[in-house]
Amino acid sequence: MKKMESSRDSFFEQQRQEMVRSQIIARGVKNPLVLQAMQTVPRHEFVPEDRQETAYSDRPLPIGYGQTISQPYIVAYMTELLRLGGGEKVLEIGTGFGYQTAILASIAREVYTVEYVSELAETAERLFQKLGYDNIHCRTGDGSLGWEAAAPYEGILVTASGPKVPDALKHQLKSGARLVMPVGEYRFGQRIVRVTRGSGDTFHPEKFLDVAFVPLLGQFGWEKRDES
Ligand code: SAH
């Protein structure tokens, strides 16, 4: 049994190193903290069990409730845009199964993460406990409002797309800190946007990659829609 487990672990380990080499370094991600996190966090633990074999493939994966976990490259790319140096307090909106959260938690000092769907939040929290992440704080609720009680943050990452960057989130940024989020149309046609807070209420926006993310719901996202 033990032996089988270790050969399974080394199978995933090998796939993970290959993922970082061919999907992430090859596409230009350079930040050593990001690369190290991608090399070590066991992505196969953060997907539904019947998806483990494809956890390291170059695409997003369905996690139920109409949600997906992002493609590995997009996780690395967005994390790099935050320009964390290690030691920060960071907010993530859209925990999902918690893969992106775990990447942030390997770099930052504390990660606060908010998930709308309570079943997903509970699954993620169980995984964080099982894998020994003790610097992640989880909440179920509307992340378009942020997590005011623990603000300000030295980085905010939103992993669902909205019509615009919610003001509530911008105001929970520390001066000099960055927020990264997909912004644009409801389902397809968004761009990753980075907003850097200057002094006071000045914000500097920049645009990056074209992406397709699941919608940010809640008060400052898209209203909940019936897609049938
Ligand atoms: N972070 C995940 C991506 C999850 S997909 C990863 O590692 O890839 C986006 C997630 O955002 C979904 O789980 C969805 O339920 C959640 N979400 C959507 N609107 C939200 C809101 N207003 N507040 C918190 N979570 C939200």
Side-chain angles (χ1 to χ4, degrees):
M1 183 69 194
K2 243 199 153 140
K3 195 152 183 235
M4 269 182 65
E5 283 220 347
S6 70
S7 75
R8 196 173 157 78
D9 285 349
S10 68
F11 167 74
F12 285 129
E13 164 81 29
Q14 215 181 330
Q15 289 205 336
R16 190 159 59 246
Q17 302 318 319
E18 176 59 19
M19 167 192 87
V20 173
R21 202 186 55 72
S22 65
Q23 301 173 33
I24 294 171
I25 296 175
R27 293 191 182 118
V29 174
K30 290 192 178 65
N31 183 309
L33 293 173
V34 176
L35 294 178
Q36 196 186 16
M38 300 296 296
Q39 273 157 353
T40 50
V41 173
R43 180 168 163 95
H44 61 281
E45 299 277 4
F46 294 95
V47 302
E49 244 172 83
D50 60 345
R51 299 274 174 184
Q52 285 202 332
E53 303 298 321
T54 50
Y56 295 97
S57 58
D58 193 13
R59 58 185 173 91
L61 289 177
I63 54 172
Y65 309 94
Q67 304 302 334
T68 55
I69 88 163
S70 308
Q71 181 187 3
Y73 168 60
I74 296 296
V75 171
Y77 182 83
M78 289 177 83
T79 309
E80 185 171 59
L81 284 180
L82 283 176
R83 297 226 199 135
L84 301 173
E88 291 89 351
K89 178 167 70 171
V90 172
L91 174 67
E92 179 199 33
I93 307 305
T95 320
F97 259 51
Y99 176 65
Q100 170 79 72
T101 325
I103 293 290
L104 291 171
S106 328
I107 300 172
R109 176 171 51 83
E110 301 288 340
V111 180
Y112 289 77
T113 183
V114 186
E115 170 56 49
Y116 212 58
V117 178
S118 60
E119 290 88 345
L120 288 173
E122 282 157 26
T123 303
E125 198 159 8
R126 264 199 308 277
L127 286 170
F128 300 147
Q129 268 166 20
K130 174 181 155 195
L131 299 169
Y133 289 94
D134 56 7
N135 59 341
I136 299 175
H137 311 271
C138 302
R139 234 189 70 189
T140 302
D142 180 5
S144 75
L145 305 167
W147 187 333
E148 178 72 48
Y153 300 97
E154 290 150 310
I156 299 181
L157 186 53
V158 185
T159 66
S161 66
K164 58 179 273 218
V165 177
D167 284 345
L169 293 181
K170 289 204 270 187
H171 286 100
Q172 290 174 27
L173 276 177
K174 200 168 174 173
S175 167
R178 300 168 187 83
L179 174 152
V180 173
M181 171 177 172
V183 174
E185 301 301 317
Y186 179 63
R187 271 281 173 191
F188 299 100
Q190 305 125 23
R191 287 187 75 175
I192 292 177
V193 168
R194 177 168 70 185
V195 174
T196 306
R197 185 169 194 169
S199 56
D201 279 350
T202 59
F203 298 94
H204 169 62
E206 297 163 276
K207 286 185 177 165
F208 296 90
L209 271 191
D210 289 323
V211 285
F213 270 73
V214 296
L216 178 74
L217 303 173
Q219 195 173 332
F220 296 110
W222 303 95
E223 292 295 316
K224 211 164 189 169
R225 292 193 181 192
D226 179 6
E227 288 181 56
S228 56

